[in-house]
Amino acid sequence: MRPARFSVVTAAATVAALTALTGCAEKSDGKGDGAITVTATDKSCEVSKTEFPSGHVQLAVENKGSKVTEVYVLFPDGRIVTERENIGPGTKATITAEIKAGDYEIACKPGMKGDGIRQQVKATGGAAPAKRSPELDAAVAAYRTYVQQQADETMPKVKVFTDAVKAGDIEAAKKAYADSRIGWERTEPVAESFGDIDPKVDVREDGLEAGQAWTGWHKLEKALWQDKKIGDAEKKLADTLLADLTDWNKRVGKAEITPTSMANGAKELLDEVATGKVTGEEERYSHTDLVDFQANVEGAREAFTLLEPVVKVKDPALAKQLNTEFNALFDLLEKHRVGKDEFSFVSYDKVSQADRKVLSDGVNALAEPLSKLAAAVAK
Amino acid sequence: MSEKPEQPENAGTAVDAGTAGAPAGSAAAPSRRSVLGWGGAGLALGAAAAGGSVAALTGGSDPVPAALTGAAVPFHGAHQAGIATAVQDRLHFASFDVKTKDRAELVALLKEWTRAAERMAAGLPVGEGAVGGLPEAPPDDTGEALGLKPSRLTLTVGFGASLFAKGRFGLEDRRPDALVDLELFPGDNLDPNRSGGDICVQACADDPQVAVHAIRQLARIGFGKVVMRWSQLGFGKTSSTTPDEQTPRNMMGFRDGTRNVSGTDTEALEKHVWVSPKDAPGASAWMAGGSYLVARRIRMNIETWDRTPLQEQEDIFGRDKAEGAPVGKSKERDEPFLKAMKPEAHVRLAHPDTNDGATILRRGYSFTDGTDGLGRLDAGLFFLAYQRDVRKGFIPVQRRLARHDVLNEYIQHVGSALFAVPPGVRDTGDWWGRALFS
């Protein structure tokens, strides 16, 4: 990461309007004034009202099924307004939330798996919500799925890395290091929108604030490549990294994502490449910059690909140009690949200044039109 | 958001040519028809509109130096502005390599660049402007020239030999003979990263921010099609094309460009600077009305120069330091008596009389680019010279200088490029390099 800066991906703070106050699993009858009862079974999800006034909303949940269930209130794009997990068979729970006017879905997930059984509801009153585009909602939902999937696939790889560190195995840890970062790098702007995780896991030494303890990947990178030793402190750092990334994995799917923030996130991934990777600053000890580079561009492309159906209609020339430049940049990266594996790249300290300039020019060639994506989506 | 100002302050103040033929305030480009014959009225108007130094009257009757007027230099004309134009105070020069392989894409870029340049020369932002657009979109213009005057901005484009290479854009037959590959002169220590390039843009303005802004917009428009190969900032013009003004001094403290071609001397310009139709037969006809630009980054060892006794400094140049008068004379503009100078004095070796009359229009700037890591300023002269034929201009002069000039002890050429500078953009339908690509 670079030192923090204002991100267009809305920071968690702005979601405060949707503060979800999850009640305890108390033995309440849930018949509060205006409460909506949600009756969950293994095959159904009954909601007592599909329309209710916006504002302070209370859901009285009862699980009448045989499986543990979860109940969610979701935005149409799949974003979570509030949720309650682990509602055991025969137990009740109360969920309260501040909900703005608009369309939502309530979902029960018997067995805590899958998309759940969904029921459309409406919060009435207040200002009419902005008109939504089903195509863009679908793009955001698909991107949210992608982000969560990346986070899920990352965790086992992180574990390989942290286990190796904890076992004191320098070589194994070095081998697992870059791999453990790929999912993070692909979706970095979403993680950055939380504000608190990124500085713990992906800060570089030069990005530290006064009094900030250095934790995360890059501290371990320095230990492995420069100090060439693993001590107790490093083993503890590995535990911390695993814990912080577990937290990321739990929260990343609930980030505020909009079509515009997706588009800007794609641009930001190229900014990351331009300021950190092309210069060799990001992975200054391991020189695995090209792995991050490839992952950043892949993440940007995923966001673009999901928005592409809309962009093709609104600005076909831009869609064509972005495809051309994405392909060109991947072709440039290809030249530095060693072996067949998607992420086996030459060490960046072996990449000449002239080759770095070619890569940098390729980044500019893509990032300039990519900076127009948000407006094309918002049109 | 208020409306975009389409009329910058001073838009009405065109630089008065100070010569007959160009009405003050007339920014009208000659019609396509009137310049079709190359030369004649169109040429005179182009040269006249570009020349001149003293113009706007600010209420009183004292003429104000052109640099202070903030006026606009007409962009259109038979020749590109920025050659005979009275030299502005600041420079930002950029050399680009073309990345795209698609000729149509390159042509589209040159058209887009031309339209942007027209706007900037008039003091207007490019595209949809710097503010007031979609909040989700980055503005077309980067904005740092908002509220600044046109500042006599000129943008001058040239094409390097590499653009004409076989298998690139089908231009191999259109490379003029005069667009040679510059030889390596004795003492050259050229950095490939400060040399060559497919296309150059020379931005000159009295306000450095205006010059930098202009290059920055063109670079941005060019992303994906061209990449910046090298660039150079310059300050303190070292040669003027306005003999009635004080001759500027270079980083060595000496007046430079005393005998330069005057921007209003139509006859001298035709003889030494503009490519005539006769020079450009057949497939190189597109160069008629153009010129050849040599750019050399000349590093000066100013620290050692500054330790040189005054007498030696004056002997090396062949002029005195106070007045700039040639050896044995008392005034700067006295005719030099070359034989009174040391045989290897800089002025003697560079003088047209020593070089079969070879005369070039110099338009260089001083530079300091930080330090060199050894506690010395990375400073010198960014030499720019325009001529009708480099084989009769820069090359013979530089051969002589490189071999004999005693100044060589204090300077080193570290960057080099040669560009074919096409004729002017005639009107809003025309574009840089149209004749070459048509």
Side-chain angles (χ1 to χ4, degrees):
Chain A
M1 77 166 269
R2 301 190 309 266
R5 41 102 178 86
F6 176 76
S7 163
V8 188
V9 178
T10 322
T14 59
V15 193
L18 304 164
T19 319
L21 308 160
T22 311
C24 323
E26 57 196 25
K27 295 276 183 204
S28 112
D29 61 357
K31 291 275 193 297
D33 222 18
I36 303 150
T37 57
V38 179
T39 311
T41 70
D42 293 354
K43 291 205 171 69
S44 69
C45 185
E46 281 177 30
V47 180
S48 64
K49 296 178 193 168
T50 54
E51 274 200 25
F52 45 84
S54 58
H56 190 74
V57 175
Q58 198 171 42
L59 301 181
V61 182
E62 185 173 1
N63 183 0
K64 291 187 172 173
S66 63
K67 295 178 185 166
V68 178
T69 194
E70 294 172 349
V71 174
Y72 291 81
V73 179
L74 302 166
F75 285 104
D77 63 14
R79 188 156 40 100
I80 300 164
V81 180
T82 179
E83 60 159 341
R84 186 88 171 89
E85 297 175 8
N86 273 320
I87 305 168
T91 61
K92 293 180 181 177
T94 314
I95 307 173
T96 55
E98 286 297 322
I99 297 183
K100 290 183 189 168
D103 291 327
Y104 298 91
E105 283 183 340
I106 289 177
C108 306
K109 288 194 187 176
M112 308 210 295
K113 281 202 188 83
D115 288 342
I117 304 152
R118 299 195 176 201
Q119 171 79 55
Q120 298 207 333
V121 297
K122 190 190 277 285
T124 55
K131 208 165 156 290
R132 307 191 65 94
S133 134
E135 293 88 358
L136 289 175
D137 281 346
V140 170
Y143 186 64
R144 185 179 300 290
T145 305
Y146 169 78
V147 169
Q148 188 62 59
Q149 179 198 354
Q150 289 303 315
D152 291 344
E153 286 174 9
T154 296
M155 295 319 293
K157 294 176 176 176
V158 170
K159 200 151 176 351
V160 173
F161 173 63
T162 54
D163 283 352
V165 172
K166 288 197 290 191
D169 188 340
I170 292 183
E171 282 316 305
K174 277 178 160 183
K175 248 176 80 168
Y177 169 77
D179 213 27
S180 72
R181 293 175 45 77
I182 292 167
W184 170 271
E185 288 289 338
R186 280 176 177 152
T187 59
E188 194 163 7
V190 183
E192 282 183 347
S193 74
F194 296 125
D196 61 339
I197 297 176
D198 188 77
K200 290 186 207 165
V201 301
D202 197 27
V203 70
R204 303 194 312 239
E205 195 166 12
D206 51 299
L208 293 170
E209 290 174 22
Q212 183 188 348
W214 190 18
T215 57
W217 269 303
H218 294 300
K219 178 90 197 265
L220 289 166
E221 180 206 3
K222 188 179 183 184
L224 293 170
W225 272 274
Q226 182 161 300
D227 309 337
K228 299 183 172 64
K229 60 173 194 285
I230 296 175
D232 287 347
E234 282 71 33
K235 292 178 183 178
K236 228 164 109 183
L237 278 171
D239 276 330
T240 308
L241 177 64
L242 187 60
D244 288 338
L245 288 171
T246 305
D247 178 39
W248 162 65
N249 179 288
K250 282 217 331 236
R251 288 158 64 190
V252 74
K254 301 169 201 168
E256 168 104 5
I257 299 175
T258 64
T260 314
S261 77
M262 270 173 76
N264 278 314
K267 178 196 74 83
E268 281 168 27
L269 281 164
L270 267 291
D271 293 346
E272 293 276 347
V273 174
T275 52
K277 281 74 179 192
V278 152
T279 58
E281 286 172 71
E282 180 82 5
E283 306 289 1
R284 60 191 63 179
Y285 313 110
S286 66
H287 305 302
T288 54
D289 302 86
L290 288 175
V291 175
D292 297 3
F293 192 142
Q294 172 84 17
N296 285 157
V297 182
E298 283 181 2
R301 179 146 212 175
E302 180 68 23
F304 165 62
T305 301
L306 294 173
L307 293 167
E308 194 178 3
V310 177
V311 182
K312 265 186 166 154
V313 174
K314 292 185 172 179
D315 193 343
L318 180 65
K320 186 165 173 276
Q321 189 183 9
L322 286 172
N323 274 314
T324 305
E325 296 297 352
F326 267 117
N327 291 339
L329 190 53
F330 280 128
D331 287 349
L332 285 180
L333 282 162
E334 196 63 39
K335 293 191 173 119
H336 300 284
R337 196 185 296 292
V338 286
K340 287 198 173 66
D341 174 33
E342 186 190 0
F343 284 98
S344 55
F345 286 100
V346 68
S347 180
Y348 203 58
D349 56 339
K350 302 284 189 288
V351 178
S352 70
Q353 190 56 37
D355 282 342
R356 289 182 184 201
K357 180 178 185 286
V358 171
L359 286 167
S360 174
D361 289 335
V363 170
N364 278 331
L366 170 60
E368 191 63 34
L370 198 56
S371 72
K372 300 186 168 85
L373 181 61
V377 168
K379 259 185 215 170
Chain B
M1 159 61 199
S2 61
E3 297 227 342
K4 190 168 61 205
E6 273 299 331
Q7 279 294 351
E9 247 181 295
N10 256 317
T13 326
V15 177
D16 184 355
T19 57
S26 139
S31 75
R32 194 173 279 270
R33 189 159 313 194
S34 76
V35 288
L36 273 181
W38 294 120
L43 183 86
L45 191 134
S53 65
V54 174
L57 302 178
T58 54
S61 58
D62 288 339
V64 175
L68 299 181
T69 64
V73 171
F75 177 77
H76 301 112
H79 309 291
Q80 287 194 64
I83 303 170
T85 307
V87 183
Q88 304 91 326
D89 290 343
R90 304 291 185 135
L91 166 84
H92 192 187
F93 190 96
S95 175
F96 294 90
D97 282 335
V98 179
K99 195 179 138 205
T100 180
K101 295 183 170 60
D102 180 350
R103 180 175 162 138
E105 209 173 36
L106 174 56
V107 166
L109 174 68
L110 288 166
K111 288 178 180 174
E112 201 178 344
W113 269 9
T114 310
R115 302 288 81 87
E118 269 165 3
R119 288 187 62 85
M120 292 191 286
L124 299 168
V126 298
E128 300 289 311
V131 289
L134 279 175
E136 295 89 353
D140 286 349
D141 188 287
T142 57
E144 72 272 27
L146 279 180
L148 299 179
K149 292 175 176 175
S151 304
R152 294 194 303 136
L153 171 70
T154 55
L155 289 158
T156 316
V157 154
F159 301 121
S162 48
L163 194 70
F164 298 81
K166 207 168 154 52
R168 287 196 77 187
F169 301 105
L171 300 173
E172 53 267 33
D173 300 328
R174 316 207 70 180
R175 177 175 170 179
D177 292 344
L179 187 58
V180 296
D181 292 316
L182 277 183
E183 66 207 64
L184 198 67
F185 298 96
D188 277 1
N189 181 21
L190 303 181
D191 175 354
N193 294 321
R194 291 193 189 272
S195 301
D198 292 334
I199 303 181
C200 75
V201 183
Q202 170 196 281
C204 297
D206 293 320
D207 183 335
Q209 185 134 324
V210 169
V212 170
H213 169 265
I215 291 294
R216 189 176 164 197
Q217 307 319 296
L218 299 184
R220 194 172 163 214
I221 291 168
F223 278 133
K225 298 173 268 297
V226 293
V227 299
M228 206 180 285
R229 184 179 171 86
W230 53 271
S231 73
Q232 182 67 55
L233 283 171
F235 64 90
K237 59 188 181 196
T238 61
S239 299
S240 81
T241 49
T242 45
D244 46 341
E245 279 190 5
Q246 195 187 53
T247 309
R249 293 178 184 272
N250 62 23
M251 293 287 281
M252 288 176 158
F254 276 75
R255 292 191 190 281
D256 194 341
T258 299
R259 291 289 307 261
N260 206 12
V261 180
S262 162
T264 52
D265 185 345
T266 314
E267 201 180 323
L269 291 169
E270 296 238 26
K271 191 172 171 194
H272 300 297
V273 179
W274 308 129
V275 175
S276 85
K278 284 203 309 285
D279 304 336
S284 61
W286 62 272
M287 269 300 285
S291 189
Y292 291 92
L293 166 63
V294 172
R296 306 277 286 183
R297 187 175 192 268
I298 305 172
R299 170 86 191 268
M300 292 174 175
N301 304 323
I302 53 172
E303 289 79 4
T304 47
W305 173 258
D306 296 341
R307 296 172 198 136
T308 307
L310 177 62
Q311 185 61 57
E312 195 179 331
Q313 290 187 10
E314 293 181 337
D315 286 348
I316 287 170
F317 269 101
R319 288 184 179 272
D320 85 316
K321 202 165 186 174
E323 288 295 322
V327 174
K329 306 280 175 141
S330 60
K331 293 203 180 65
E332 184 198 349
R333 300 203 184 275
D334 290 347
E335 194 56 40
F337 180 50
L338 297 181
K339 291 198 170 109
M341 298 178 185
K342 304 264 183 202
E344 299 181 333
H346 179 73
V347 167
R348 182 169 176 175
L349 289 171
H351 197 278
D353 291 356
T354 312
N355 296 284
D356 301 327
T359 304
I360 55 185
L361 185 153
R362 284 160 291 157
R363 231 177 172 284
Y365 287 82
S366 292
F367 69 83
T368 52
D369 292 338
T371 49
D372 66 354
L374 300 169
R376 306 173 302 193
L377 281 181
D378 177 6
L381 166 66
F382 188 66
F383 173 92
L384 293 168
Y386 288 88
Q387 61 243 279
R388 184 171 164 181
D389 189 335
V390 71
R391 295 165 300 181
K392 297 176 186 145
F394 174 78
I395 291 176
V397 177
Q398 184 55 25
R399 274 183 194 152
R400 182 163 279 111
L401 288 173
R403 275 202 298 273
H404 305 296
D405 189 358
V406 276
L407 192 58
N408 290 337
E409 193 180 328
Y410 303 96
I411 62 173
Q412 187 177 53
H413 289 237
V414 293
S416 173
L418 171 63
F419 299 97
V421 175
V425 176
R426 302 173 197 187
D427 53 41
T428 52
D430 196 3
W431 44 278
W432 273 322
R434 179 187 49 77
L436 168 61
F437 286 91
S438 300

